[in-house]
Amino acid sequence: ICILSFDLQLALPVPNLTVGPAFYLRKAWVYNLGIHDCGTGKGYMYMWSENTAKRGSDEISSILYKHFKENRGEAKKLIVFSDNCSGQNKNWSIMCLWQNLVKAEMFESVEHRYLIVGHTQLPSDRDFAIIEKYKRHYMKCAYVPQDWYKAVQQCKRTNPFKVVEITQTDILCFKDLQAQITKKSLTDEKEKLQFSKICCAKFQSSNPNEMLIKHCFNEEFKICNIGKRGQRKAILVNLHDLPQKYTKAVPLNPKKLDNLVQLLPYIPPIFMSFYNEIGAIPGAQRPAQSVAENEVEEIDIFSDISDTD
């Protein structure tokens, strides 16, 4: 049995400066998805910058798939713990990933357990605490995302974290995979399927089209057949064939870029290539961004506060 927990760390700022003006200005973010192997005690940190990808369900599903490809081991059963964040952990992209893992016979069964809201202290959070302690005592400045990658590698001496830098080629679009299932609102017993209140979801290789769910940990599993009508056998989709989600850099909010321009005098010239890449250098061509995307980005800025929960 392989038991894992995963979670997103509070976003790390770039640049991370000690000067007074930096406290009031927006910064770019570095995201970190931590996966903790409860059997070996090994922590895996999958890190990427804000201009590489966002942090939605496709990103989380793609990184989990990458982790299982490279660190599968010989376990036959997989048990995963996470919090209840619907945009990242509790969604149909994740369910399709688990279904496809058992269809490919990578595991005989996959069980995803969601901790009770308000009681989501995970082993991953303990790993993040080590990073935050190192950041508080030893990190004076971080000018580019690579500074954070190096810090995470160095912050733990015994059994150090394995840091993997995520690129756009790693992020897949799970829309085609979701088209292979039926998103049910009722169980096979005609009971209401309250997806947001699911505390446990399980898939088995014996019948991958059956999603077994629990709304309460002390009840029996309820069956929900998510296969297409008339589909007797689950269709295996090779995840390698899924299209990439991103074909170009993710544009940053123009207001954030304007704030980064004000921080450029405090950043050594050797690191300017990163800020030129994201469009923060005066005179550099900025990626086009619609008004709607600007509004979403403004909301995303304040959503970082809730990650401390």
Side-chain angles (χ1 to χ4, degrees):
I1 298 177
C2 176
I3 301 178
L4 302 178
S5 73
F6 71 92
D7 197 8
L8 269 172
Q9 185 183 3
L10 177 67
L12 302 167
V14 173
N16 183 45
L17 304 173
T18 57
V19 296
F23 182 80
Y24 302 97
L25 298 175
R26 298 177 178 90
K27 306 169 189 67
W29 295 122
V30 170
Y31 302 133
N32 178 20
L33 178 67
I35 300 178
H36 186 93
D37 190 322
C38 299
T40 63
K42 183 74 173 178
Y44 301 82
M45 302 296 168
Y46 295 87
M47 306 182 72
W48 69 99
S49 59
E50 185 179 4
N51 67 311
T52 299
K54 298 182 180 180
R55 47 179 175 175
S57 60
D58 284 349
E59 287 78 4
I60 304 302
S61 302
S62 299
I63 294 172
L64 287 171
Y65 173 60
K66 177 180 176 66
H67 176 79
F68 293 126
K69 280 195 307 180
E70 300 174 356
N71 307 279
R72 177 188 170 186
E74 299 181 356
K76 299 297 183 182
K77 298 181 180 180
L78 173 65
I79 300 177
V80 181
F81 291 87
S82 76
D83 59 27
N84 292 266
C85 180
S86 59
Q88 296 162 352
N89 308 330
K90 186 184 284 188
N91 49 66
W92 286 107
S93 292
I94 294 290
M95 297 299 112
C96 287
L97 172 65
W98 302 145
Q99 183 197 33
N100 210 71
L101 291 183
V102 297
K103 283 193 293 187
E105 297 183 351
M106 187 176 290
F107 296 100
E108 292 180 356
S109 67
V110 176
E111 187 172 340
H112 192 160
R113 299 177 184 177
Y114 298 95
L115 301 185
I116 298 172
V117 177
H119 302 271
T120 56
Q121 290 79 18
L122 292 161
S124 305
D125 297 314
R126 190 182 304 115
D127 294 339
F128 297 152
I130 296 173
I131 299 174
E132 291 294 331
K133 182 179 180 180
Y134 184 88
K135 169 187 171 183
R136 187 166 57 251
H137 293 286
Y138 302 103
M139 282 291 293
K140 293 183 178 179
C141 295
Y143 299 108
V144 290
Q146 285 70 23
D147 290 340
W148 284 118
Y149 305 160
K150 185 177 180 181
V152 174
Q153 284 179 326
Q154 296 176 344
C155 68
K156 190 179 181 184
R157 295 182 180 179
T158 58
N159 198 9
F161 300 130
K162 181 179 179 180
V163 177
V164 181
E165 182 178 353
I166 295 298
T167 63
Q168 290 188 335
T169 57
D170 297 318
I171 308 302
L172 307 174
C173 181
F174 279 71
K175 185 177 180 180
D176 294 343
L177 201 60
Q178 292 187 39
Q180 302 294 327
I181 66 169
T182 301
K183 301 177 183 179
K184 293 290 187 67
S185 59
L186 297 174
T187 66
D188 289 6
E189 292 82 14
K190 305 302 179 183
E191 297 180 20
K192 188 175 182 180
L193 172 61
Q194 297 175 300
F195 197 89
S196 62
K197 295 184 179 180
I198 291 176
C199 68
C200 185
K202 184 177 182 179
F203 290 89
Q204 296 176 312
S205 58
S206 58
N207 192 347
N209 278 339
E210 284 187 355
M211 181 174 72
L212 307 176
I213 63 165
K214 287 183 179 182
H215 291 114
C216 183
F217 281 112
N218 60 0
E219 69 179 10
E220 297 295 328
F221 277 111
K222 299 175 183 177
I223 300 176
C224 184
N225 195 312
I226 59 175
K228 290 288 187 181
R229 181 176 294 181
Q231 185 183 96
R232 295 183 178 180
K233 188 177 180 181
I235 300 175
L236 176 63
V237 177
N238 192 344
L239 296 182
H240 293 290
D241 298 333
L242 293 179
Q244 285 184 215
K245 184 170 184 177
Y246 301 102
T247 56
K248 58 183 180 180
V250 178
L252 273 65
N253 187 304
K255 293 182 179 179
K256 178 178 289 191
L257 292 175
D258 292 338
N259 285 176
L260 289 173
V261 170
Q262 300 179 48
L263 294 174
L264 292 180
Y266 306 101
I267 300 172
I270 192 174
F271 301 113
M272 288 300 168
S273 59
F274 169 74
Y275 297 93
N276 183 58
E277 178 184 340
I278 64 177
I281 301 293
Q285 185 178 2
R286 297 183 177 181
Q289 190 174 34
S290 65
V291 176
E293 287 176 333
N294 292 344
E295 294 174 354
V296 171
E297 183 64 27
E298 285 295 327
I299 296 173
D300 191 45
I301 291 172
F302 295 102
S303 70
D304 290 322
I305 300 173
S306 64
D307 286 350
T308 59
D309 200 8

